[in-house]
Amino acid sequence: MAKKITFNPYGLTIEVPEGENLLRAALAAGVHINASCGGEGVCGKCKILVEEGEVDSLPGGLLTNEEWDLGYRQACQTKVVSDVVVRIPPESLLDRRTLTRRRTGIGLRPSPIDLASLQEEGLYNPAFKKRCVKLSPPSLTDNVNDLARLEEGLARQHGVPNLTLDFFLLRKLARVMREQDFQVTATLDFSRRRFRSPHLVNVEPGDTTGRHYAVAVDIGTTTVWVQLLDLSKGEIIGHAADYNSQMSYGDDVITRIVYSQKEQGLQKLQKSVVGTINQVMHRLLKQHKLGVEEVSHMTVAANTTMTHLFYGIDPKYIRLAPYVPTAGSIPLLRARDLGLEMPEHVFVYSVSSVSSYVGGDIVSGVLASGLYKEPRLTLFIDIGTNGEIVIGNQQWMACAACSAGPAFEGGGIRFGMRATQGAIEEVSINPETFEPMLLTIGMAKPKGICGSGLINLLAALMDSGLVHPNGKFRDDLNTPRVRLGDSGREYVVAFAEDTQGGQDLVLSEADIDNLMRAKGAMFAGYVTLLESVGLHLQDLEQVILAGAFGNFVNIDNAIAIGLLPDLPRDRYQFVGNASLLGATLLAFSREMLDEERRVAEMMTNFELSETPGYMDQYIAALFLPHTQGEYFPSVSERLQAAKG
Amino acid sequence: MAKKITFNPYGLTIEVPEGENLLRAALAAGVHINASCGGEGVCGKCKILVEEGEVDSLPGGLLTNEEWDLGYRQACQTKVVSDVVVRIPPESLLDRRTLTRRRTGIGLRPSPIDLASLQEEGLYNPAFKKRCVKLSPPSLTDNVNDLARLEEGLARQHGVPNLTLDFFLLRKLARVMREQDFQVTATLDFSRRRFRSPHLVNVEPGDTTGRHYAVAVDIGTTTVWVQLLDLSKGEIIGHAADYNSQMSYGDDVITRIVYSQKEQGLQKLQKSVVGTINQVMHRLLKQHKLGVEEVSHMTVAANTTMTHLFYGIDPKYIRLAPYVPTAGSIPLLRARDLGLEMPEHVFVYSVSSVSSYVGGDIVSGVLASGLYKEPRLTLFIDIGTNGEIVIGNQQWMACAACSAGPAFEGGGIRFGMRATQGAIEEVSINPETFEPMLLTIGMAKPKGICGSGLINLLAALMDSGLVHPNGKFRDDLNTPRVRLGDSGREYVVAFAEDTQGGQDLVLSEADIDNLMRAKGAMFAGYVTLLESVGLHLQDLEQVILAGAFGNFVNIDNAIAIGLLPDLPRDRYQFVGNASLLGATLLAFSREMLDEERRVAEMMTNFELSETPGYMDQYIAALFLPHTQGEYFPSVSERLQAAKG
């Protein structure tokens, strides 16, 4: 049940679910409360006074008995039980003008895959189908071979003549046909467009038409996702993920490619990722009490390097100019030939890639997001280790990879880290005291800053006037939070005593420089790609954010730092893990399986480094938010508002 | 240079090649010379007198010096140097009337595969072709993936668009393309009729179009034959054979099937035959200094049980009524998946079978012999462990397996043996003294009697009047050669002192009974199959004998015992190992590769045991040559002539 929280002295009221944490609620409301320990309750700074209503709070050593009795609580240790009124103490007070900014980004959630609409559009049509036949047993006057008997039954009873078939089922055909007195369920693959007829891939005794599954896999550089699909009911049964165990050979695609060039390196990387898939897939199957032999179909989406490594194809030339992958489309391959613990009849269908740095994950995302059939001019963005962008609509698509580097995954930033326990994700800074309000993942003591946290932190530094548009800190302030460090000036996000590492957690000018290069590469990418086809940012009718990053980014802040274009917020959409979603759609829709290669071929790749104007755009974007303020009208307003 | 031999007192002259052995020449001429030791020179019975001309002879301990000086020689130890006149001594003399029978069968040799006529007919067109392309290296303004570059090159330079391809070549594509500066030879498979375009199976650096090979395999129950083919020149390079190492698990298909039902039996049999193929193939490749990676194509022909075992498919129901194999056509399978030591890109193409006992070896033979496009009514016979027959022409074909049993491979006959060293193959019997003239394989001491030897022996027993038409020996003769043994009466072919085993080598009435059942089953098969389609033996315009047996059988003698129909001898043809020949043709002719399944489907299988009239025909055929003498007019004449 929703509860109301009123924050005084602002008089601001918001609704939250019962049990919501007060610090988190304040952040969502845009109310600053000093908080250094990320929500763990050890810094004692986030004191608030409960004026009315009931809360559930842990007494800790950081409040005196007097404070407790007066109604003070640590916001991060307090849950809302009834409607409440709380007062922010003077030391946390923020000028009211900062309240003009509400986090419109927060609250956007990806739409789950919409099977109903797939069905409406006639696209729910799995390529793999089961058909049960009842055959008459052989006799001396009718002793055709078992296969011929089955084929005749399928032709007569289901109208599927001229089958082709997979060899391996022959090894069990005689037994299977006799096990339930010549009642047999055949699994047919209708996807192989190069064949003139369906392909018989499996036979099972009796009627098993009610049990039929597929597996969709998204192989990320960092994470492997597996989704389990029910082909007979058209449902996503569940999903699971784990770190790609290739991580131990390198964090990003470049280090993996380097490793692949060592003795047996490629083989090790191949086995490694297959090991992860096997492990996640079998965990999922076990959890749902399904036998792997009930799986008929496996679809895979991955970036170009991950695709090469998964298939054991040397990725060497992906890394060397002119950046040539071995292939865009990979032919069907028996899953077992890759070491996947799958039945013999399962083949791997993988999404085609466009180029070395616009891979099958992006094509899969384009399929999942519907961009390829979208009439509106759309910008599709996937920010991960690199940033890939696609611009276009149902008639054309241009795409490019931006060498954004891993800054938004925390790479190249001194205290950058992945979005795990202890990563600072939410930040606000008091513009007068420069004290921060931090919220970490898991509300643990801060350990570092994750990608979305970096964006939020940089935006907060801009809001509070601590950082100049050129990325340098103000040097005229008398605060211990800004000081000279090893890499120029730095802002102390958390002092040693509040951190997990026991050292000051800072963001330096060098870090900001890296962030600006990353966001500048992305922004220059949008503009260059649009200009290459004679269009402008304002022409964009829709922006689709894909990937885990897209799920967590605060749109306003990402626009504030110049990472995303300054468009009306309602043009933004999340699609979540669009790569996984695309792989799932391929398993549910034969038409999309047929179409993925066409979509990949439709996407024109631009090598930005070779595209006129890109370098100028890049240089122009190395500013907060941009040297050309007219690109970011709302940011100018926001900064004006923050200045008051 | 040919030399003339005149045999006195008959005045019979024949031509032989210089160096021909005199005993062998006498046999060919139908001149009887007593000879018990098979040609080894140890019995001393084959004495002849050289009256004129020059011979090359080894003096031995079995001729006295006086005899040598008078011009006597052992025929089996004597080679012809010039035209010669020789005299047969009285003890070997045979009534002249037996000379009416000339071995028309002998001298027939299979026609080697006729590539010239294949080419004339436009059928020389291997499904696998190499195409060399020179590509421009990639650059930043042209950095499509390697595969796309290759595909474009093949489309532009050779007009082969829309390739499909085999996954595994992708693993080496990048390296291969760069090894000789983007000059690449692609191997294309034009056979896959279900694809709309050629299938790219391999890539090699540089121009390798001059080196392109295929392997054709005939998997017999006893012997595995491998033929090495040059696809770029259209030549058979060589062949080699070895015993199927499955022999250690059983002599015939039934014992193999029984073994396959044991724990791991099928797997052992599969590995066993694959081991033989690997061994023979690699021996052949080494002998011709070819690398296995230069092989693109592998075709296999085998009987239905051998096919099942080769592919690891349970043959259980082949043996049990109603005799149902798992499949007629086996889909393409990567050779490596069977354990064959072949490059990854090689797939196995096997000839379709018709039924459990009319297998791919017979279909392959039908292809090789041209029966399927023959306008004349033809009988195709393959006698091995079982006898398979096909009757028909270009418009229809009927086929059946006769349960002839292994008698003609020496099975079920006390001294029966395979056609190896020491096996008696040629026999004649003096109708007055009943002394035999024996010639063994390798001219070694007799060890046993091979299949063709059994036919010749039985015919000689008939000619000499030793055996009645009912298969029983005359009991009114005073000769040590016919006596009562453990299994009724028996004829002593060689006494202990002349044999390798040191015991009397005999043919018993029980043995003759087995031979009569075997030949009866075959003959009843021809008649029944013909009658099933309203035809008669006399309608046959051609008889094709296939298989190793067909190579060595003496047609006259096989007709004499009732095994082959009594037709004008010029209607008979040998095709040798037609199964191997068919497999070779498939590799040389895409059209035949396309056609093999159609040909198999065109062949209507008859289960003789279920075909009306078969049992009556079988009973009627249990006679020498047959209860109905009118079937064998020439045999009656021959026996009359022999009686004098």
Side-chain angles (χ1 to χ4, degrees):
Chain A
M1 229 182 81
K3 301 294 171 195
K4 283 189 183 127
I5 311 177
T6 303
F7 292 100
N8 281 333
Y10 310 118
L12 179 76
T13 301
I14 64 164
E15 282 203 353
V16 297
E18 184 174 335
E20 174 63 302
N21 178 287
L22 259 186
L23 189 65
R24 193 180 291 281
L27 255 168
V31 170
H32 180 92
I33 305 174
N34 288 349
S36 295
C37 71
E40 210 193 37
V42 295
C43 73
K45 289 189 181 157
C46 62
K47 254 186 298 186
I48 45 97
L49 178 66
V50 180
E51 297 186 327
E52 288 175 30
E54 197 182 338
V55 298
D56 180 4
S57 190
L58 293 171
L62 296 168
L63 288 175
T64 61
N65 287 345
E66 292 73 32
E67 284 175 323
W68 182 269
D69 292 341
L70 284 171
Y72 284 98
R73 298 290 182 268
Q74 283 181 264
C76 72
Q77 302 297 306
T78 303
K79 288 176 186 165
V80 174
V81 174
S82 70
D83 291 350
V84 292
V85 177
V86 299
R87 179 168 292 272
I88 312 302
E91 61 268 28
S92 278
L93 266 189
L94 189 65
D95 198 295
R96 180 159 188 167
R97 64 206 168 195
T98 62
L99 294 175
T100 52
R101 117 181 131 85
R102 282 297 297 275
R103 308 276 168 94
T104 47
I106 292 177
L108 276 183
R109 280 292 165 256
S111 50
I113 179 167
D114 191 351
L115 283 172
S117 80
L118 252 192
Q119 272 160 332
E120 261 170 44
E121 294 179 58
L123 292 175
Y124 180 72
N125 176 25
F128 286 75
K129 295 187 185 357
K130 284 192 174 183
R131 296 283 181 259
C132 181
V133 282
K134 186 85 193 72
L135 307 165
S136 56
S139 66
L140 273 171
T141 52
D142 170 23
N143 65 352
V144 295
N145 61 69
D146 288 337
L147 178 61
R149 184 173 306 276
L150 175 61
E151 285 177 331
E152 198 199 317
L154 285 166
R156 281 209 195 164
Q157 296 173 37
H158 295 288
V160 278
N162 302 317
L163 290 177
T164 59
L165 76 148
D166 188 56
F167 166 78
F168 287 99
L169 68 86
L170 293 181
R171 287 199 173 150
K172 61 179 175 180
L173 184 60
R175 177 179 55 74
V176 165
M177 285 178 71
R178 286 159 184 82
E179 200 168 310
Q180 294 213 15
D181 196 24
F182 291 88
Q183 188 186 33
V184 177
T185 299
T187 307
L188 299 170
D189 172 3
F190 286 83
S191 78
R192 305 200 179 183
R193 53 192 155 157
R194 288 167 203 286
F195 291 176
R196 293 180 196 123
S197 44
H199 192 64
L200 176 62
V201 298
N202 197 19
V203 284
E204 295 167 302
D207 184 352
T208 66
T209 48
R211 298 185 66 82
H212 198 201
Y213 305 96
V215 165
V217 181
D218 165 46
I219 307 176
T221 310
T222 307
T223 312
V224 170
W225 281 90
V226 178
Q227 207 151 45
L228 194 56
L229 314 174
D230 185 331
L231 293 178
S232 71
K233 297 202 185 70
E235 285 171 4
I236 298 173
I237 298 175
H239 55 247
D242 204 343
Y243 284 112
N244 183 338
S245 64
Q246 286 180 345
M247 288 287 282
S248 58
Y249 300 102
D251 269 0
D252 53 38
V253 298
I254 299 302
T255 51
R256 305 268 173 94
I257 294 173
V258 169
Y259 189 86
S260 74
Q261 300 307 303
K262 301 189 181 192
E263 175 80 17
Q264 289 295 307
L266 178 56
Q267 288 73 8
K268 280 184 199 165
L269 290 166
Q270 200 272 335
K271 277 199 182 128
S272 175
V273 67
V274 164
T276 301
I277 296 170
N278 281 334
Q279 182 253 104
V280 177
M281 178 176 68
H282 282 280
R283 172 155 43 97
L284 200 52
L285 286 166
K286 198 174 168 189
Q287 185 186 333
H288 293 279
K289 297 185 173 54
L290 301 180
V292 71
E293 72 284 354
E294 298 180 299
V295 172
S296 292
H297 194 181
M298 181 175 191
T299 55
V300 173
N303 66 49
T304 308
T305 301
M306 287 303 112
T307 299
H308 278 56
L309 295 178
F310 171 63
Y311 281 103
I313 300 171
D314 187 358
K316 182 175 177 184
Y317 299 99
I318 289 178
R319 184 176 151 247
L320 304 176
Y323 318 114
V324 175
T326 285
S329 287
I330 311 281
L332 292 191
L333 180 63
R334 204 176 294 280
R336 284 214 173 163
D337 285 346
L338 290 171
L340 290 161
E341 291 159 5
M342 292 285 246
E344 265 164 338
H345 68 270
V346 175
F347 279 71
V348 179
Y349 290 70
S350 69
V351 183
S352 299
S353 62
V354 177
S355 64
S356 276
Y357 294 100
V358 179
D361 52 344
I362 301 305
V363 176
S364 191
V366 165
L367 287 166
S369 68
L371 169 50
Y372 72 105
K373 53 181 180 180
E374 173 63 55
R376 290 175 293 177
L377 180 65
T378 300
L379 167 62
F380 176 97
I381 304 175
D382 189 336
I383 302 177
T385 310
N386 274 299
E388 292 97 6
I389 57 181
V390 186
I391 286 172
N393 57 28
Q394 61 196 3
Q395 294 184 311
W396 61 272
M397 285 183 276
C399 59
C402 305
S403 313
F408 296 119
E409 288 195 325
I413 308 294
R414 185 161 168 212
F415 287 95
M417 67 178 284
R418 298 193 181 278
T420 56
Q421 185 86 357
I424 295 169
E425 58 174 352
E426 300 285 354
V427 187
S428 112
I429 295 174
N430 187 311
E432 286 165 9
T433 65
F434 307 118
E435 280 299 302
M437 172 188 193
L438 307 176
L439 204 63
T440 60
I441 295 174
M443 293 180 91
K445 265 191 173 182
K447 192 174 170 186
I449 318 168
C450 67
S452 56
L454 285 166
I455 292 167
N456 295 336
L457 172 58
L458 189 54
L461 289 169
M462 290 168 71
D463 281 342
S464 63
L466 277 169
V467 71
H468 288 296
N470 65 0
K472 302 298 177 196
F473 283 110
R474 276 175 68 181
D475 54 3
D476 57 349
L477 296 171
N478 185 18
T479 163
R481 290 273 170 189
V482 178
R483 67 192 189 192
L484 199 61
D486 297 337
S487 314
R489 289 186 181 275
E490 59 192 23
Y491 174 76
V492 184
V493 185
F495 284 103
E497 65 267 25
D498 287 330
T499 67
Q500 284 189 39
Q503 59 177 322
D504 293 352
L505 202 160
V506 305
L507 186 80
S508 69
E509 286 177 349
D511 293 335
I512 292 174
D513 203 47
N514 276 335
L515 288 170
M516 287 203 300
R517 287 175 196 278
K519 70 97 190 169
M522 293 298 297
F523 192 82
Y526 320 143
V527 176
T528 307
L529 217 48
L530 280 165
E531 286 186 351
S532 299
V533 291
L535 291 169
H536 304 282
L537 280 176
Q538 302 89 301
D539 298 321
L540 289 173
E541 296 170 278
Q542 191 180 214
V543 180
I544 295 172
L545 298 178
F549 178 83
N551 269 348
F552 294 104
V553 74
N554 177 306
I555 300 278
D556 280 319
N557 290 347
I559 292 171
I561 70 165
L563 172 61
L564 294 178
D566 191 0
L567 296 168
R569 306 308 186 256
D570 59 4
R571 296 196 191 164
Y572 278 90
Q573 278 196 25
F574 286 120
V575 284
N577 186 341
S579 173
L580 180 62
L581 221 63
T584 290
L585 284 175
L586 292 191
F588 278 143
S589 168
R590 178 194 166 186
E591 285 69 20
M592 293 186 76
L593 203 60
D594 280 352
E595 201 142 72
E596 64 83 16
R597 191 170 180 172
R598 185 186 69 80
V599 169
E601 281 168 0
M602 195 178 150
M603 291 165 67
T604 307
N605 186 59
F606 282 76
E607 289 294 333
L608 289 177
S609 62
E610 297 297 301
T611 307
Y614 177 73
M615 276 314 289
D616 294 341
Q617 284 293 345
Y618 173 64
I619 301 292
L622 296 177
F623 213 68
L624 294 172
H626 197 279
T627 50
Q628 291 172 267
E630 61 269 31
Y631 276 139
F632 290 92
S634 86
V635 178
S636 304
E637 281 169 33
R638 167 175 167 163
L639 294 178
Q640 286 304 326
K643 273 187 200 156
Chain B
M1 228 182 81
K3 302 293 170 196
K4 283 189 184 129
I5 310 178
T6 303
F7 291 101
N8 281 333
Y10 310 119
L12 178 76
T13 301
I14 63 165
E15 281 204 352
V16 297
E18 184 175 333
E20 174 64 304
N21 179 287
L22 260 186
L23 188 66
R24 194 179 290 282
L27 254 167
V31 171
H32 179 91
I33 305 174
N34 288 350
S36 295
C37 70
E40 209 192 37
V42 295
C43 73
K45 289 188 182 159
C46 62
K47 253 186 299 188
I48 46 96
L49 177 67
V50 180
E51 297 185 326
E52 289 175 30
E54 197 181 339
V55 297
D56 179 4
S57 190
L58 292 171
L62 296 168
L63 289 174
T64 62
N65 287 343
E66 292 73 35
E67 285 174 323
W68 183 269
D69 293 342
L70 285 170
Y72 283 97
R73 297 291 182 269
Q74 282 179 265
C76 72
Q77 303 297 305
T78 302
K79 288 176 187 168
V80 174
V81 174
S82 69
D83 291 350
V84 292
V85 176
V86 298
R87 179 167 293 273
I88 313 301
E91 61 268 30
S92 278
L93 267 189
L94 189 65
D95 197 295
R96 179 160 189 168
R97 65 205 166 194
T98 62
L99 293 175
T100 53
R101 119 180 130 84
R102 281 295 300 275
R103 307 276 170 93
T104 48
I106 292 177
L108 276 183
R109 279 292 166 254
S111 50
I113 179 166
D114 191 352
L115 283 172
S117 79
L118 251 191
Q119 271 160 331
E120 262 170 43
E121 293 179 58
L123 292 175
Y124 180 72
N125 176 23
F128 286 76
K129 295 188 187 349
K130 284 192 174 183
R131 295 284 181 260
C132 180
V133 283
K134 185 87 192 72
L135 307 167
S136 55
S139 66
L140 272 171
T141 52
D142 170 22
N143 66 351
V144 296
N145 62 68
D146 288 337
L147 178 61
R149 184 172 306 276
L150 175 61
E151 285 177 332
E152 199 199 317
L154 285 166
R156 281 210 194 164
Q157 297 173 38
H158 295 287
V160 278
N162 302 317
L163 291 177
T164 58
L165 75 148
D166 188 55
F167 167 78
F168 287 99
L169 67 87
L170 293 181
R171 288 198 173 153
K172 61 179 176 181
L173 184 60
R175 176 179 55 74
V176 165
M177 285 179 69
R178 285 159 184 83
E179 201 167 310
Q180 295 213 15
D181 195 25
F182 291 87
Q183 187 186 35
V184 177
T185 299
T187 308
L188 299 171
D189 172 2
F190 287 83
S191 78
R192 306 201 178 182
R193 52 192 155 159
R194 287 167 205 287
F195 291 175
R196 293 182 196 122
S197 43
H199 192 64
L200 176 61
V201 299
N202 197 20
V203 284
E204 294 167 303
D207 184 352
T208 66
T209 48
R211 298 185 65 82
H212 197 201
Y213 305 96
V215 165
V217 181
D218 165 46
I219 308 176
T221 310
T222 307
T223 312
V224 170
W225 281 90
V226 177
Q227 206 150 46
L228 194 56
L229 314 173
D230 185 331
L231 293 178
S232 71
K233 296 202 185 70
E235 286 171 5
I236 297 173
I237 298 175
H239 55 247
D242 203 342
Y243 284 111
N244 183 338
S245 65
Q246 286 181 346
M247 288 287 281
S248 59
Y249 300 103
D251 269 0
D252 54 37
V253 298
I254 298 302
T255 51
R256 305 268 173 92
I257 294 174
V258 169
Y259 189 86
S260 75
Q261 300 306 302
K262 300 189 182 192
E263 176 80 17
Q264 289 295 308
L266 178 56
Q267 288 74 8
K268 280 184 201 165
L269 290 167
Q270 201 273 334
K271 276 199 182 129
S272 175
V273 68
V274 164
T276 301
I277 296 170
N278 281 334
Q279 182 253 105
V280 178
M281 178 176 68
H282 283 280
R283 172 155 43 98
L284 200 51
L285 287 166
K286 198 174 168 189
Q287 185 186 331
H288 294 277
K289 298 186 173 54
L290 300 180
V292 70
E293 73 283 355
E294 298 180 297
V295 173
S296 291
H297 194 181
M298 180 176 193
T299 55
V300 173
N303 67 48
T304 308
T305 301
M306 286 303 111
T307 299
H308 278 56
L309 295 178
F310 170 63
Y311 281 103
I313 300 171
D314 187 358
K316 183 175 178 184
Y317 299 100
I318 289 178
R319 184 176 151 248
L320 305 175
Y323 317 115
V324 175
T326 285
S329 287
I330 311 282
L332 292 191
L333 180 63
R334 204 176 293 281
R336 285 216 172 159
D337 285 346
L338 290 171
L340 290 161
E341 291 158 6
M342 292 285 246
E344 264 163 339
H345 68 270
V346 175
F347 279 71
V348 178
Y349 289 69
S350 70
V351 183
S352 300
S353 63
V354 177
S355 64
S356 277
Y357 294 100
V358 178
D361 52 345
I362 301 306
V363 175
S364 191
V366 165
L367 287 166
S369 68
L371 169 50
Y372 72 104
K373 52 181 180 179
E374 172 64 55
R376 291 174 293 177
L377 180 65
T378 300
L379 167 63
F380 176 97
I381 305 176
D382 189 337
I383 300 177
T385 311
N386 275 300
E388 292 96 8
I389 56 180
V390 186
I391 287 173
N393 57 27
Q394 62 196 3
Q395 295 186 309
W396 61 272
M397 284 183 276
C399 60
C402 305
S403 313
F408 296 118
E409 290 195 324
I413 308 294
R414 185 162 167 210
F415 286 95
M417 68 177 284
R418 299 191 181 279
T420 57
Q421 186 85 355
I424 294 169
E425 57 173 351
E426 300 286 353
V427 186
S428 113
I429 296 174
N430 186 312
E432 285 166 10
T433 65
F434 308 118
E435 281 298 302
M437 173 188 191
L438 307 177
L439 204 64
T440 60
I441 295 174
M443 295 179 93
K445 265 190 173 181
K447 192 175 171 186
I449 318 168
C450 67
S452 56
L454 285 166
I455 292 168
N456 294 337
L457 173 57
L458 189 53
L461 290 169
M462 289 169 72
D463 281 343
S464 63
L466 277 168
V467 70
H468 288 296
N470 66 0
K472 302 298 176 195
F473 283 110
R474 274 174 69 180
D475 56 2
D476 57 349
L477 296 171
N478 186 17
T479 164
R481 291 269 170 191
V482 177
R483 66 189 190 194
L484 200 61
D486 297 338
S487 315
R489 289 184 181 276
E490 60 192 23
Y491 174 77
V492 184
V493 185
F495 284 103
E497 64 268 24
D498 287 330
T499 68
Q500 283 190 38
Q503 59 176 324
D504 292 353
L505 202 159
V506 305
L507 186 79
S508 69
E509 286 178 350
D511 293 334
I512 293 175
D513 203 46
N514 276 334
L515 288 170
M516 286 204 301
R517 287 174 196 277
K519 70 98 189 169
M522 293 299 296
F523 193 82
Y526 321 142
V527 176
T528 307
L529 216 48
L530 281 165
E531 286 187 350
S532 300
V533 292
L535 292 168
H536 304 283
L537 281 176
Q538 301 90 302
D539 298 321
L540 289 173
E541 295 170 278
Q542 189 179 216
V543 180
I544 296 172
L545 298 177
F549 179 84
N551 268 348
F552 295 103
V553 73
N554 177 304
I555 301 278
D556 280 319
N557 290 347
I559 292 171
I561 70 165
L563 171 60
L564 295 178
D566 190 359
L567 297 167
R569 305 307 187 256
D570 59 4
R571 296 196 190 163
Y572 277 90
Q573 279 195 25
F574 286 119
V575 284
N577 186 342
S579 173
L580 180 63
L581 222 63
T584 290
L585 284 175
L586 292 191
F588 278 143
S589 169
R590 179 194 166 186
E591 286 67 22
M592 292 186 75
L593 202 59
D594 280 352
E595 200 142 73
E596 65 83 15
R597 190 170 181 173
R598 185 187 70 80
V599 169
E601 280 167 0
M602 195 178 150
M603 291 165 68
T604 306
N605 186 58
F606 283 76
E607 289 295 332
L608 289 177
S609 62
E610 296 298 301
T611 307
Y614 177 74
M615 276 314 290
D616 293 342
Q617 284 293 345
Y618 173 65
I619 302 292
L622 296 178
F623 212 69
L624 294 171
H626 197 279
T627 51
Q628 292 172 266
E630 61 269 30
Y631 276 140
F632 290 91
S634 85
V635 179
S636 303
E637 282 170 33
R638 166 176 167 162
L639 294 177
Q640 285 304 324
K643 271 186 202 156

